[in-house]
Amino acid sequence: MSANNYKYDLVLLHAPAVYDFRKTSIMFGPISDVVPSSSIFEIYPIGFGSIARHLKNKGMRVRILNLAVKMLLDPKLDVEKLLGSIKSRVFGIDLHWLCHAHGSVEVAKLVKKIHPYSKVVFGGISATYYHKEVMAYPFIDYCFRGDSTEPLMEQLITTLKNGKNFEQIPNLCWKNEQGEIIYNKFSYIPDELENIQIDYKNIFFSALRDLDLSGYLPFTSWVDYPVTAIVLSRGCNYNCNVCGGSNDFYKEHCGRRKAVYRTPKNIGEEIKSLTRFINGPLLLIGDLFLNGKEYSFELLEEFKRLKISNQIIFEVSLPPTKEELIHISEAIPRFNILLSPESHDERVRNLFGRHFTNKETEDMIENAIALGVGRVDLFFMIGLPEQTKESVMGTVDYCDYLLGRFAKSKKLSVYISPLSPFLDPGSKVFENPEAHGYKLFYRTLEEHRQALLQPSWKYILNYETKWLSRDGIVESSYESALGMNKIKLKHGLFTPKQAKKQEEKILEAYAFSKEIDKVLTIKDETERNNKLQSMKRHMDKYSRSTTCNMKDLEWSIMIFNVRAPKFLRVIFFYMWSGLSKVFG
Ligand code: B12
Ligand code: SF4
């Protein structure tokens, strides 16, 4: 194809976790219960926005195509036809989260089949970890390693246009004419993020230009629930043992020794560009206090100056002190705190890698309420070192105690969910499971790709622990969900009707997961597969909001008083004015 026939220089594609989830029968269970995505993880990496902005500023044409959202919204969507209608020099596919191992690779295969002359490039932190395996697939041409690729994508596209040598592009894995895989030096590790930003105006107008609102949506229900992430840093200064985004991971795989934070001015500009269009909540990711007092207070001063009326959710790794909370409340009138103590048991929490006490957590809740917090959200997890089923139920009891103390204020919410679907590659536990009491079922990318096709989440899980087998994780997940449901009813957070409905759903989901176990004992493969296929409708039903009810999570957003995002009105206005010109 001649260069002039390419409408785009780059199309950034986000695949569903499993391709094609519309046909396969899989009970994903609660694997995505605590994120706004459905079980096919339709959220695309926030970095799509900063790559798009960088390339647009260099005069290149970029499109974002959230294929996962489009497939969810239109069950009859003909993906091959859609991809066939889009001509691009390069298709960039993220393999950021390992749970996309199946979908991303399958979509790459499809793109190459449809557009044999276009180039397929992979990136993201899982692609970084598995770059050798990624490059072994014949339909993937390039893979970028590292957490920052904005200028690298520019270099790749320019090099493709000019036909010059690829050796000069840092962090790039590529194939030479003989088909040998070349791993360029990993030398681009920016230690300042001044040029990294998302221009929301550009995103909204690109959606208009491409007449494709859904292709740019971060997740399906975003229009009703427009929560948007603002990432403060790249890398992390912490070392939680089960996390594949820890300090050790970034050191080993991204060459980053410590987290680098964006400047308050840069973050302020992004927030300004966003709040012109959206009045939904902003989720600040990356604990601002971990970058020192001076930085955090400077950032909060910037927020104060901007007079942000949106709700801001501060995701913190440690409970903020009273002084820190005072600064937050002075800067942001509508603030919320999100903390993950992971377990009520301080020893389990320590083994996870978080070092704070329950007393510190409780003091934080008390102070935050006194300072007018909108909501404190506490997240607990199942599948941790030394965590038994009794310990999981102990966490439910602790939540009962916390709600007993704070529920009257209606400011505290508690959630529990399993560590799923995967223990993160590159985490300390993944690299040395036995030493931490874990057993790994899958290690390679290909093994995880196959695992995602298993009929239920129990078999998708890539681990079990000495204290909780896979069955134990499933049992503890549903039983703790029942426990949480009861205490939320007891403390008036759920109405009896809501609690009854949720209880029925949890019990049905648990029973259904056992039903799948039984079907798997059927020896005849055709009979087994037919039976599984006939269960698809229920499998889909029990893959959403079982351990945590999404409505419960969204309720915290409802009180944020979200109106329809401003940008939708802008879009409708432009579409309407365009149409009125056509029709006079
Ligand atoms: C922010 C965050 C989130 C946000 C996502 C916001 C967003 N839209 O990106 C939320 C809260 C929604 C989230 C959810 C999940 N997360 Co998360 N998340 C993080 C966190 C804390 C920071 C990530 C970050 O800094 N990103 C910024 C940079 C690094 O990435 P980026 O700008 O998006 O992209 C750059 C590069 O990655 C690369 N790149 C990315 N994609 C592509 C594609 C191409 C073609 C190219 C060339 C380059 C490229 O270039 C970009 C620009 O420079 C990390 C922990 C950490 N410290 O890393 C965990 C982390 C990434 N998440 C993780 C997980 C497991 C999840 C969930 C699966 C959890 C779950 N079961 O629900 C879900 C998946 C949600 C989905 N996709 O639907 C794991 C991933 C481990 C792994 N290897 O799979 C991590 C490492 C740690 C953890 N356990 O939380 N997460
Ligand atoms: S879980 Fe721990 S190590 Fe991972 S990103 Fe969060 S604070 Fe950092």
Side-chain angles (χ1 to χ4, degrees):
M1 170 173 287
S2 110
N4 295 334
N5 289 342
Y6 292 123
K7 182 166 180 198
Y8 302 101
D9 292 299
L10 173 68
V11 169
L12 287 163
L13 261 176
H14 180 64
V18 170
Y19 186 86
D20 182 346
F21 66 93
R22 300 173 301 183
K23 295 186 189 128
T24 43
S25 301
I26 301 170
M27 182 190 175
F28 290 105
I31 62 174
S32 65
D33 271 5
V34 287
V35 285
S37 297
S38 70
S39 45
I40 57 124
F41 293 110
E42 70 267 23
I43 296 179
Y44 57 79
I46 196 114
F48 273 18
S50 52
I51 295 174
R53 173 183 178 266
H54 181 90
L55 297 187
K56 181 187 172 265
N57 289 347
K58 302 290 171 188
M60 295 179 180
R61 278 176 82 93
V62 186
R63 174 170 179 173
I64 293 176
L65 186 65
N66 192 340
L67 191 60
V69 159
K70 292 187 82 72
M71 289 171 79
L72 273 170
L73 290 178
D74 179 1
K76 292 206 179 98
L77 179 79
D78 183 337
V79 176
E80 293 204 28
K81 198 167 153 203
L82 171 70
L83 292 175
S85 70
I86 299 173
K87 315 274 185 255
S88 179
R89 185 184 300 277
V90 181
F91 286 87
I93 302 174
D94 65 287
L95 181 58
H96 191 54
W97 297 278
L98 183 56
C99 50
H100 294 93
H102 187 269
S104 297
V105 171
E106 290 302 313
V107 168
K109 201 188 288 174
L110 203 56
V111 168
K112 201 61 177 178
K113 186 182 101 185
I114 301 171
H115 300 289
Y117 298 108
S118 298
K119 300 296 178 193
V120 174
V121 52
F122 264 46
I125 61 172
S126 295
T128 299
Y129 182 87
Y130 286 114
H131 62 279
K132 288 194 174 146
E133 264 193 80
V134 164
M135 288 304 290
Y137 293 113
F139 40 85
I140 299 177
D141 301 293
Y142 307 104
C143 177
F144 273 117
R145 290 194 274 163
D147 60 24
S148 302
T149 59
E150 290 81 358
L152 305 181
M153 280 303 296
E154 178 201 342
Q155 282 186 50
L156 177 65
I157 293 168
T158 312
T159 306
L160 282 167
K161 281 182 179 169
N162 301 338
K164 296 249 173 65
N165 46 15
F166 293 91
E167 284 91 347
Q168 288 163 5
I169 308 175
N171 306 15
L172 181 70
C173 311
W174 55 289
K175 292 166 186 166
N176 67 15
E177 276 171 11
Q178 291 73 46
E180 288 166 322
I181 299 168
I182 319 282
Y183 303 99
N184 285 358
K185 216 167 154 203
F186 196 144
S187 55
Y188 180 69
I189 308 150
D191 54 11
E192 55 94 12
L193 304 174
E194 206 38 57
N195 292 320
I196 288 173
Q197 211 184 83
I198 298 178
D199 175 358
Y200 283 93
K201 194 171 101 210
N202 172 33
I203 297 203
F204 300 145
F205 285 95
S206 299
L208 265 184
R209 176 199 65 193
D210 298 326
L211 290 175
D212 183 17
L213 180 57
S214 60
Y216 285 81
L217 280 183
F219 52 92
T220 331
S221 52
W222 188 85
V223 172
D224 303 324
Y225 174 63
V227 58
T228 307
I230 307 281
V231 176
L232 303 187
S233 61
R234 286 200 175 157
C236 181
N237 288 335
Y238 248 62
N239 251 324
C240 301
N241 283 329
V242 296
C243 177
S246 63
N247 187 265
D248 280 357
F249 176 89
Y250 275 93
K251 249 190 239 155
E252 180 71 23
H253 301 281
C254 299
R256 191 175 289 297
R257 303 201 69 72
K258 67 195 255 288
V260 53
Y261 278 74
R262 296 168 62 195
T263 62
K265 184 168 157 278
N266 185 1
I267 297 166
E269 281 167 5
E270 185 169 303
I271 293 186
K272 228 163 78 189
S273 99
L274 178 65
T275 51
R276 278 177 58 203
F277 294 92
I278 297 166
N279 47 14
L282 311 180
L283 173 60
L284 286 197
I285 296 183
D287 189 333
L288 68 163
F289 299 112
L290 292 188
N291 198 31
K293 202 169 173 171
E294 203 180 311
Y295 175 82
S296 57
F297 289 177
E298 216 181 289
L299 182 61
L300 290 171
E301 274 309 306
E302 178 68 13
F303 288 167
K304 200 171 180 177
R305 201 183 62 75
L306 289 173
K307 296 196 175 55
I308 302 165
S309 60
N310 300 51
Q311 292 272 350
I312 295 213
I313 305 154
F314 289 81
E315 193 223 27
V316 288
S317 308
L318 297 172
T321 61
K322 189 169 182 181
E323 189 198 5
E324 289 165 344
L325 287 168
I326 290 174
H327 279 275
I328 291 181
S329 67
E330 284 172 354
I332 302 289
R334 303 164 79 205
F335 74 99
N336 302 272
I337 304 288
L338 192 158
L339 175 74
S340 302
E342 313 298 1
S343 166
H344 74 290
D345 182 336
E346 290 172 1
R347 178 168 165 76
V348 173
R349 188 180 309 144
N350 273 303
L351 290 169
F352 176 92
R354 296 241 155 126
H355 307 286
F356 56 86
T357 62
N358 288 342
K359 163 115 183 35
E360 285 167 304
T361 308
E362 291 163 33
D363 288 349
M364 183 272 286
I365 303 171
E366 197 167 277
N367 291 329
I369 293 174
L371 288 163
V373 74
R375 181 134 173 181
V376 176
D377 285 307
L378 296 186
F379 285 84
F380 297 91
M381 207 187 256
I382 299 164
L384 306 178
E386 290 195 14
Q387 189 188 39
T388 57
K389 186 178 160 199
E390 290 64 41
S391 173
V392 173
M393 298 316 285
T395 295
V396 178
D397 292 341
Y398 179 61
C399 290
D400 185 14
Y401 156 75
L402 286 178
L403 289 179
R405 206 172 141 191
F406 300 110
K408 263 203 204 103
S409 68
K410 298 220 178 297
K411 304 278 187 180
L412 177 67
S413 260
V414 287
Y415 309 94
I416 189 161
S417 67
L419 194 181
S420 63
F422 300 139
L423 180 62
D424 295 351
S427 63
K428 272 196 188 139
V429 176
F430 186 93
E431 296 308 311
N432 203 352
E434 290 79 19
H436 292 88
Y438 280 63
K439 179 174 164 194
L440 267 193
F441 296 104
Y442 318 116
R443 263 187 191 282
T444 65
L445 179 59
E446 187 55 32
E447 283 167 356
H448 284 93
R449 208 164 83 82
Q450 297 306 329
L452 282 156
L453 296 177
Q454 293 294 317
S456 93
W457 69 283
K458 181 173 102 179
Y459 305 97
I460 296 176
L461 283 178
N462 66 353
Y463 74 98
E464 64 183 16
T465 76
K466 236 163 73 182
W467 308 274
L468 280 176
S469 64
R470 272 172 162 174
D471 279 310
I473 294 170
V474 172
E475 189 182 333
S476 305
S477 298
Y478 290 122
E479 288 199 8
S480 60
L482 286 171
M484 285 295 214
N485 195 45
K486 269 203 192 103
I487 63 169
K488 287 184 183 178
L489 171 68
K490 175 177 160 191
H491 296 288
L493 300 181
F494 285 171
T495 62
K497 199 173 154 201
Q498 274 174 321
K500 186 160 184 299
K501 205 169 149 212
Q502 184 63 10
E503 183 183 278
E504 278 168 12
K505 190 166 180 190
I506 300 166
L507 288 170
E508 283 169 21
Y510 188 22
F512 198 73
S513 74
K514 289 183 178 161
E515 189 62 34
I516 295 175
D517 290 347
K518 264 198 225 140
V519 174
L520 289 178
T521 61
I522 298 176
K523 292 239 163 43
D524 182 78
E525 196 182 331
T526 317
E527 190 191 338
R528 191 172 67 233
N529 288 342
N530 287 343
K531 181 79 188 138
L532 287 171
Q533 201 55 43
S534 72
M535 294 163 90
K536 176 160 173 57
R537 202 168 53 83
H538 285 94
M539 290 189 177
D540 291 345
K541 178 176 170 194
Y542 300 125
S543 294
R544 188 97 180 115
S545 309
T546 42
T547 58
C548 294
N549 188 342
M550 277 312 286
K551 284 276 165 253
D552 180 26
L553 279 164
E554 284 179 18
W555 175 76
S556 67
I557 301 300
M558 289 304 287
I559 59 160
F560 295 164
N561 185 22
V562 175
R563 283 161 284 142
K566 291 179 201 163
F567 93 92
L568 278 183
R569 277 176 271 147
V570 175
I571 284 189
F572 288 133
F573 171 74
Y574 274 90
M575 285 188 167
W576 176 80
S577 52
L579 287 176
S580 44
K581 267 183 211 139
V582 174
F583 296 108

